[in-house]
Amino acid sequence: MSKELSRALYDFISKFDYYPKYPREIGFDQIEYAKELEKCIEDNFDYTIEKYGTIPSKKLGRPDVILD
């Protein structure tokens, strides 16, 4: 895994709280894919959902408001 892709994956997972799917080709261009992930982060929109079939996880965290 290239250094750029490793950093982009870390940033993507930190932003969206799930792991994106990879391109289906075995020898895909890692630098280009890293740029796509960085674009997702900049635009605050996950383009890998349509392009690669990523399924976002449904995060069930603590509620913002707790009623007593």
Side-chain angles (χ1 to χ4, degrees):
M1 183 181 301
S2 72
K3 190 178 204 180
E4 293 86 2
L5 180 55
S6 178
R7 183 66 187 165
L9 279 172
Y10 176 79
D11 292 343
F12 184 93
I13 295 167
S14 296
K15 173 81 174 175
F16 293 105
D17 290 329
Y18 57 87
Y19 200 81
K21 284 196 176 179
Y22 280 88
R24 294 180 186 218
E25 302 86 31
I26 293 175
F28 69 94
D29 185 2
Q30 292 183 4
I31 305 294
E32 195 63 36
Y33 182 62
K35 289 178 184 176
E36 290 179 19
L37 294 180
E38 291 296 334
K39 180 165 176 40
C40 292
I41 295 164
E42 290 172 10
D43 295 348
N44 196 28
F45 184 79
D46 184 6
Y47 297 108
T48 66
I49 292 172
E50 277 188 33
K51 193 166 186 179
Y52 304 114
T54 300
I55 300 172
S57 64
K58 293 185 170 75
K59 186 176 178 183
L60 298 175
R62 292 174 33 154
D64 294 333
V65 177
I66 299 174
L67 299 175
D68 267 339

